[in-house]
Amino acid sequence: MHLIERQLQNAVNNLVAWCDNNGHAISPEKSRCVHFCRKRNLHLDPVIYIRDFAIPVVNDIRFLGVIFDRKLAFIPHVLHLRKKCERSLNILKVLSKTSWGADRTSLLRIYQAVILTRIDYGCMVYGSARPTVLRRLDTIHHSALRICTGAFRTSPVESLYNISHQLPLDSRRQKISALYSFRAQSVRNHPINRLSLPAGLRRLYAARPSHILPLCERTKMLLHDFRSVI
């Protein structure tokens, strides 16, 4: 931890010096530090200073609309996203009245614009969460499709996908991740193109199948499976 603190402190000092030379300012009061670690035993947190002000260490932080927790399990983000989508479901419930409500096509378009876009945003990042965590969003997806199609609660989920021409959320995340990988490969200097697992980490992931691979490796496996099917 002392080595990590020295390296981070040097990086922060260089960043503060660059901001001073280029007319920018960093607010120490608004800065936060997250110690990403999955160790279960007690361990020290880093102490980083910005102009003699210690940056507070928090358990999770919101960055570009995605909540990163210290264990990168993305449980806070999924719970927050589910709560926001549940509020937006009220719009579909109001507009789906049988006497004067909108038709199926309009409801599906509203669902895609209001709710599904929130679920799709950042899914290539929080898609590394456990399947049990990601399945908490499936109830939102199924409830919205039942409202849009007017199906019963006992209707099978597969029939909802067939009637509404929608993909399951796990397949939708795979599709978006594959498209993101294609766009990244089209940019020559994209950082994700230079990411590759060392041989030691490959053996570690092979020995522990329960550990989820990074995005670059997941997309490689996904595209390989697509080629084998085709």
Side-chain angles (χ1 to χ4, degrees):
M1 181 54 66
H2 297 292
L3 177 61
I4 295 175
E5 284 183 353
R6 289 197 299 269
Q7 293 179 347
L8 289 176
Q9 189 62 57
N10 291 332
V12 171
N13 294 337
N14 295 332
L15 181 61
V16 172
W18 184 91
C19 292
D20 294 338
N21 295 330
N22 292 273
H24 296 276
I26 297 179
S27 176
E29 293 79 8
K30 297 181 180 179
S31 302
R32 296 293 183 269
C33 175
V34 181
H35 180 196
F36 295 105
C37 182
R38 293 190 176 184
K39 290 185 177 180
R40 297 182 179 180
N41 55 345
L42 295 177
H43 53 276
L44 298 177
D45 290 327
V47 181
I48 311 299
Y49 293 91
I50 296 181
R51 294 192 178 91
D52 299 330
F53 182 86
I55 304 176
V57 179
V58 296
N59 293 327
D60 53 66
I61 191 169
R62 185 185 182 92
F63 181 72
L64 295 178
V66 180
I67 301 177
F68 292 85
D69 58 288
R70 65 186 309 164
K71 293 186 178 181
L72 292 179
F74 294 103
I75 296 178
H77 177 74
V78 172
L79 295 178
H80 177 72
L81 180 61
R82 178 176 175 175
K83 185 180 295 184
K84 291 180 62 176
C85 293
E86 286 177 349
R87 296 174 183 173
S88 300
L89 279 178
N90 296 327
I91 301 176
L92 296 178
K93 293 178 182 178
V94 172
L95 296 177
S96 61
K97 298 296 181 179
T98 57
S99 58
W100 54 270
D103 57 353
R104 179 186 301 178
T105 304
S106 300
L107 290 175
L108 287 174
R109 289 178 179 175
I110 294 173
Y111 168 60
Q112 293 176 358
V114 178
I115 300 178
L116 202 55
T117 52
R118 292 179 177 177
I119 299 177
D120 292 342
Y121 178 78
C123 66
M124 68 285 295
V125 178
Y126 73 85
S128 61
R130 296 292 178 186
T132 55
V133 177
L134 296 175
R135 277 198 291 267
R136 300 185 182 185
L137 298 175
D138 291 345
T139 56
I140 301 295
H141 189 47
H142 299 160
S143 299
L145 294 181
R146 294 182 194 278
I147 295 173
C148 295
T149 58
F152 296 102
R153 293 185 178 181
T154 56
S155 300
V157 177
E158 291 76 11
S159 63
L160 295 177
Y161 296 147
N162 190 13
I163 295 174
S164 59
H165 303 286
Q166 294 290 332
L167 291 173
L169 288 184
D170 55 347
S171 301
R172 190 175 181 89
R173 283 189 292 266
Q174 292 178 358
K175 176 184 175 182
I176 295 175
S177 299
L179 293 177
Y180 176 78
S181 178
F182 286 140
R183 289 195 299 267
Q185 292 176 7
S186 63
V187 180
R188 180 178 301 176
N189 297 325
H190 199 281
I192 199 176
N193 295 331
R194 298 190 295 269
L195 295 178
S196 60
L197 284 180
L201 286 180
R202 291 183 182 275
R203 290 193 296 267
L204 177 63
Y205 280 108
R208 300 178 180 178
S210 60
H211 290 194
I212 300 177
L213 291 169
L215 173 64
C216 56
E217 297 298 325
R218 296 201 310 270
T219 52
K220 289 179 182 178
M221 294 180 60
L222 179 64
L223 296 178
H224 182 269
D225 295 339
F226 284 163
R227 294 191 188 100
S228 61
V229 171
I230 295 175

